[in-house]
Amino acid sequence: MYRIPSIQQYCNRWCQRCPLSSLCGLYHARYGDEDLDPQEWSGPASGEEARHVFEELDLKKVDALPAKIKELEEQGDFNPDASPILGIYDQWQGHYGQVLQHLTESWEQAMQKQDSFVREAHFLQRLNAREVLLHYRNFLGPKLHRALGGRFDAGGQIPLQSDWNGSAKVLILALNHILLILENMDQLYPEHHRSILAFQVASEDFREQCLALFPEAMAFKRPGFDDLSPDMVLGPGL
């Protein structure tokens, strides 16, 4: 049967609830009927293996999982919906909506000029800035909640290669892109200086809070992205 090589390096070690266990050689080596050597399928050593806080539960007991979840939530910082960073996100989202509203109004007014507006020197920069902000409008919230939910999935002990860090890295990279756009937006829309400046400050604070909450996020390796060499991405000598 086909096995996905090293898939266990990206899992949360809760094999009983994993939808990919049938494709995991390590799972079959440990728990299956096949004569397999677990060491052969364990992949490169990555330090002490994290144990999932739910792995000893008897899931046949109806109250086992809810009772364990309640116990962990009472310990604090386990319920994603109780994280203080969500308040910071809500404030940031308010500034985001205000800037988008201003840009939409300015864009609609400018487009009434039609050809003359398209010929303006900063047209492509205005277009790019608006498209970037529209692209991320509904993107960061789900990534933040998925990152926070990674602690739940990992059972408290967070491995480097986990949704906790992976989603957080994508979130931080998106904030970097937004901040890059905001560097020139004040010149493109001087009439909205105050709202753009407020959004920039809020974005910088949000990013700093994310980096503090997910200190290992940028070390996460995205398969197919972060393992590419510069030559593969840009071409030899670039």
Side-chain angles (χ1 to χ4, degrees):
M1 179 181 288
Y2 174 73
R3 307 280 191 253
I4 300 178
S6 301
I7 189 176
Q8 73 282 352
Q9 299 299 321
Y10 302 92
C11 77
N12 58 21
R13 296 298 192 271
W14 196 4
C15 298
Q16 293 78 1
R17 297 292 292 271
C18 179
L20 298 176
S21 58
S22 62
L23 300 177
C24 177
L26 182 59
Y27 173 81
H28 286 281
R30 287 178 171 176
Y31 308 112
D33 298 329
E34 302 175 48
D35 185 18
L36 300 173
D37 180 8
Q39 188 63 34
E40 181 181 347
W41 288 94
S42 62
S46 57
E48 184 179 352
E49 182 177 300
R51 293 180 61 82
H52 203 289
V53 295
F54 297 135
E55 67 179 312
E56 303 300 333
L57 287 182
D58 181 2
L59 296 179
K60 295 180 181 179
K61 296 181 178 179
V62 177
D63 296 332
L65 185 58
K68 185 64 174 180
I69 292 174
K70 183 177 180 181
E71 173 192 337
L72 291 167
E73 287 181 346
E74 289 175 350
Q75 295 176 10
D77 197 30
F78 191 81
N79 181 2
D81 296 329
S83 175
I85 200 172
L86 291 177
I88 297 172
Y89 167 74
D90 288 341
Q91 294 177 6
W92 174 84
Q93 186 73 3
H95 291 292
Y96 200 159
Q98 187 176 31
V99 168
L100 270 180
Q101 181 181 350
H102 290 328
L103 262 61
T104 299
E105 293 172 353
S106 296
W107 185 265
E108 290 175 350
Q109 293 172 7
M111 286 305 293
Q112 293 176 1
K113 302 177 183 178
Q114 296 181 350
D115 292 344
S116 60
F117 173 59
V118 173
R119 289 195 295 269
E120 288 184 6
H122 298 302
F123 170 75
L124 289 179
Q125 289 177 286
R126 285 174 177 260
L127 176 63
N128 182 57
R130 181 173 179 270
E131 290 300 314
V132 168
L133 292 187
L134 286 173
H135 173 74
Y136 289 123
R137 177 173 49 184
N138 300 314
F139 181 82
L140 274 71
K143 286 299 177 184
L144 176 60
H145 282 82
R146 186 70 201 95
L148 293 172
R151 179 183 291 276
F152 178 91
D153 291 345
Q157 185 174 354
I158 312 297
L160 177 60
Q161 292 298 123
S162 65
D163 274 349
W164 167 264
N165 288 315
S167 295
K169 180 171 185 175
V170 175
L171 169 64
I172 293 168
L173 291 175
L175 283 169
N176 287 342
H177 195 186
I178 289 174
L179 283 166
L180 182 64
I181 291 297
L182 289 175
E183 287 182 5
N184 297 321
M185 191 173 290
D186 201 27
Q187 299 176 5
L188 302 175
Y189 296 94
E191 66 274 23
H192 302 308
H193 168 75
R194 287 189 177 182
S195 60
I196 290 173
L197 179 60
F199 182 42
Q200 185 174 17
V201 172
S203 297
E204 290 173 349
D205 181 52
F206 185 27
R207 181 179 62 179
E208 292 305 312
Q209 295 296 328
C210 288
L211 288 169
L213 184 60
F214 308 103
E216 294 186 310
M218 300 310 290
F220 178 89
K221 298 297 183 183
R222 296 171 295 168
F225 290 90
D226 296 326
D227 52 359
L228 296 178
S229 68
D231 284 352
M232 295 175 67
V233 176
L234 301 175
L238 296 180

